[in-house]
Amino acid sequence: MSGARVTEAEFVVVANRLPVDRVVGAEGDDGWRRSPGGLVTALEPVMRSSEGAWVGWAGKPDLELEPFEFDGTFLVPVRLSAQDVEQYYEGMSNDTFWPLYHDVIAAPRYRRVWWEAYVRVNRRFAEAAAEVAAEGATVWVQDYQLQLVPKMLRELRPDLVIGYFHHIPFPAHGLYSQLPWRRQVLEGLLGADVIGFQRVADAGNFARAVRRQLRYQTKASGISVPLGDGSYRNALAKAFPISIDAESYVELARRPEVQQRAREIREGLGNPKRILLGVDRLDYTKGIRHRLKAFGELLQDGRLTVEDVTLVQVASPSRERVESYMQLRDEIELTVGRINGDFDTTDHTAIRYLHQAYPREEMVALFLAADVMLVTALRDGMNLVAKEYVATRTDNRGVLVLSEFAGAADELPSALLINPHDIDGMKDQIIRAIEMPPAEQGRRMRSLRKKVIESDVAQWSRSFLAALEAAKHRHTAVGGERQTEGATAPEAS
């Protein structure tokens, strides 16, 4: 790591978080390490080749940091105060947008002071990106915490090519229309040249919201955005389903020490005939309560026994200062305790509940140990855990039970698809997964693995950046006025 340098980056990523975590060394000195995650992995080659810059928050309030270079990437920290974290991040982002965009599974709260903080912080990110970007640079804004940045950035720097990717669902208009600031958010997103979503349905929901709220014309994936002079700019809104660094999971799954750890996990659980696995952030969108209800009823009905089947539930801590998350943790831990109290024996446990995060090697060992992976999300933009499980199954064994409300269901139809609200249906599919013959497991898993390995996170970033490059060429072709040729006036709908 070196100190700040003057930079004009040709490629800039703007995300809520920097791609590094702050660590304290053995002697008390501060340092940095690269964050785990597919986005960082996917963009690393682009950042290196273009001397890119990454604008984001360092993860702790009130940190005053100068821009610095780390591992070939120029990092531009955006300062957030404790009040910003409370109002913009915990409030507007995670207590308003998150529940609203996940089909109001929990009730969103609309507070004007949170919105004011959201506008203020989004402007701070936009200004930081505008300052570091070279003339005509490409800027890629990430996710729902920064939905106003594209328009703000375009106003500051009309020369830039701007992309935005929405990592979570975009709701149907009947839900989206609840948002008091619905027009401002749509206008913010339409500042981008390319707006990416996880599912075709999400892109469709966005386009419908634009038609209903703004009366802009939409054709196929293009939206005609009016400019001040009476002409129109075309914004592309379409699905770019995100994925994982599949090869890294394949490599870990083949390591002898990881395979040995998987055997140790099975032995530690008493070598049951089948291990079911759930891996989630502790979030109300993940359907953990529904999964536990189905499993508890299967034990109650006598269709499963703890001697034969164990459920391992990893629930990593999440947003522990948000009240709905505190309530969820209490409810899940009470449910686990009740089921274990009713069905445990001295030698076997019904549910092994783990409220902690684990390193990737341990997660891959869990994937290898598990006969059935349960992904029961009530609503999920993608769900990369489903893809991680598939990537690790180099033996073409194991069964993925997957909610049809996760974005991954569009790409992984060979999984056993479920409606998690249908508890009886979920119970039947869990039994089917447990009893599935090896030949059928192999057929399904080979199909799943082919998709996950071919459509990895590198392919995702290439496809999105290709769309941005096409936007750049359109920009250049009309001399900086990104006007859609032959654009007509918007149609009211």
Side-chain angles (χ1 to χ4, degrees):
M1 186 176 76
S2 64
R5 62 174 164 87
V6 176
T7 187
E8 286 198 336
E10 296 293 339
F11 180 65
V12 180
V13 171
V14 188
N16 181 61
R17 288 291 302 271
L18 289 173
V20 292
D21 295 320
R22 196 172 180 85
V23 292
V24 179
E27 298 180 9
D29 51 328
D30 284 349
W32 301 93
R33 68 177 172 211
R34 185 167 291 280
S35 303
L39 182 65
V40 179
T41 303
L43 298 182
E44 185 179 9
V46 189
M47 302 297 276
R48 287 180 180 277
S49 63
S50 61
E51 290 196 337
W54 190 302
V55 176
W57 174 45
K60 291 186 178 178
D62 298 308
L63 271 183
E64 291 281 3
L65 297 170
E66 291 297 316
F68 63 93
E69 198 167 336
F70 178 88
D71 202 15
T73 301
F74 190 62
L75 304 182
V76 183
V78 173
R79 179 184 175 277
L80 296 185
S81 68
Q83 185 183 58
D84 291 332
V85 174
E86 180 186 345
Q87 296 178 348
Y88 143 80
Y89 182 67
E90 294 173 349
M92 193 70 206
S93 295
N94 292 327
D95 216 357
T96 303
F97 284 124
W98 181 269
L100 177 64
Y101 285 18
H102 286 86
D103 290 358
V104 193
I105 295 165
R109 292 200 290 164
Y110 304 114
R111 296 192 58 196
R112 285 170 289 180
V113 68
W114 290 356
W115 171 252
E116 290 160 5
Y118 187 83
V119 173
R120 181 174 68 245
V121 171
N122 271 241
R123 184 168 290 113
R124 205 174 300 158
F125 276 85
E127 288 169 350
E131 191 173 329
V132 79
E135 182 74 20
T138 296
V139 180
W140 193 358
V141 183
Q142 304 290 334
D143 220 2
Y144 67 103
Q145 300 95 344
L146 302 174
Q147 294 173 95
L148 306 182
V149 168
K151 181 185 179 186
M152 292 173 169
L153 195 51
R154 181 167 300 283
E155 289 169 348
L156 291 167
R157 293 285 305 275
D159 58 294
L160 299 175
V161 176
I162 302 167
Y164 170 90
F165 188 76
H166 198 74
H167 291 255
I168 68 173
F170 195 90
H173 182 258
L175 293 176
Y176 180 76
S177 60
Q178 293 182 21
L179 183 68
W181 309 281
R182 56 200 183 185
R183 291 177 62 91
Q184 294 95 312
V185 170
L186 295 175
E187 289 168 351
L189 294 172
L190 287 170
D193 295 288
V194 179
I195 306 149
F197 297 91
Q198 299 281 24
R199 308 181 83 163
V200 172
D202 294 324
N205 286 342
F206 174 74
R208 276 187 288 277
V210 168
R211 286 197 300 272
R212 296 283 295 276
Q213 294 296 328
L214 303 179
R215 305 296 191 193
Y216 292 176
Q217 181 179 350
T218 64
K219 288 185 177 179
S221 298
I223 297 172
S224 295
V225 182
L227 302 174
D229 60 1
S231 62
Y232 294 87
R233 177 176 60 80
N234 192 64
L236 179 70
K238 63 175 288 190
F240 296 87
I242 200 169
S243 195
I244 62 168
D245 179 17
E247 194 51 47
S248 71
Y249 282 90
V250 172
E251 189 271 325
L252 277 173
R254 287 180 172 151
R255 287 187 190 174
E257 66 271 23
V258 174
Q259 295 174 359
Q260 174 59 29
R261 176 62 189 139
R263 289 189 288 271
E264 291 170 1
I265 289 170
R266 291 196 75 96
E267 290 167 10
L269 293 169
N271 281 314
K273 291 180 182 176
R274 293 287 184 268
I275 294 173
L276 313 182
L277 176 63
V279 175
D280 311 88
R281 279 190 312 103
L282 188 59
D283 193 291
Y284 49 75
T285 65
K286 301 299 183 181
I288 301 172
R289 289 175 290 198
H290 298 64
R291 182 184 314 162
L292 295 177
K293 183 174 180 61
F295 183 67
E297 287 190 11
L298 286 168
L299 293 170
Q300 182 72 49
D301 298 343
R303 297 172 75 183
L304 297 179
T305 68
V306 293
E307 288 81 10
D308 290 340
V309 180
T310 294
L311 169 62
V312 178
Q313 177 61 58
V314 178
S316 58
S318 175
R319 300 170 188 161
E320 295 184 287
R321 289 173 30 166
V322 178
E323 186 175 345
S324 57
Y325 287 77
M326 292 188 278
Q327 292 172 351
L328 176 69
R329 178 179 179 181
D330 290 345
E331 186 178 336
I332 286 174
E333 291 179 356
L334 281 169
T335 303
V336 169
R338 179 181 54 77
I339 293 172
N340 284 345
D342 287 346
F343 299 105
D344 279 7
T345 69
T346 53
D347 297 318
H348 297 278
T349 294
I351 302 170
R352 183 67 60 87
Y353 175 74
L354 306 164
H355 180 60
Q356 52 199 284
Y358 289 95
R360 186 178 290 190
E361 290 80 2
E362 183 73 0
M363 292 311 308
V364 171
L366 277 166
F367 292 148
L368 292 177
D371 302 287
V372 179
M373 184 82 214
L374 300 177
V375 177
T376 61
L378 307 180
R379 193 77 166 91
D380 218 334
M382 177 53 62
N383 194 286
L384 295 180
V385 167
K387 294 186 175 184
E388 291 166 2
Y389 177 73
V390 167
T392 63
R393 299 307 306 208
T394 56
D395 58 355
N396 289 317
R397 290 292 178 270
V399 184
L400 174 62
V401 176
L402 177 60
S403 167
E404 62 193 58
F405 304 121
D410 289 359
E411 298 183 274
L412 305 177
S414 296
L416 294 186
L417 298 180
I418 59 161
N419 171 3
H421 300 283
D422 175 9
I423 301 297
D424 286 335
M426 194 192 323
K427 287 160 62 178
D428 290 342
Q429 288 291 60
I430 290 172
I431 294 295
R432 183 181 173 192
I434 287 170
E435 296 177 349
M436 186 177 289
E440 185 181 353
Q441 288 183 37
R443 284 195 305 275
R444 289 176 177 273
M445 191 56 73
R446 276 189 290 272
S447 172
L448 294 170
R449 296 193 78 247
K450 183 174 187 291
K451 178 63 178 180
V452 168
I453 289 168
E454 287 178 355
S455 301
D456 66 356
V457 73
Q459 190 274 333
W460 167 77
S461 66
R462 282 195 302 269
S463 65
F464 193 96
L465 292 171
L468 276 179
E469 189 63 25
K472 194 167 196 169
H473 288 317
R474 289 197 303 273
H475 182 199
T476 306
V478 293
E481 290 295 321
R482 264 169 284 180
Q483 181 176 328
T484 307
E485 287 187 21
T488 56
E491 296 172 348
S493 60

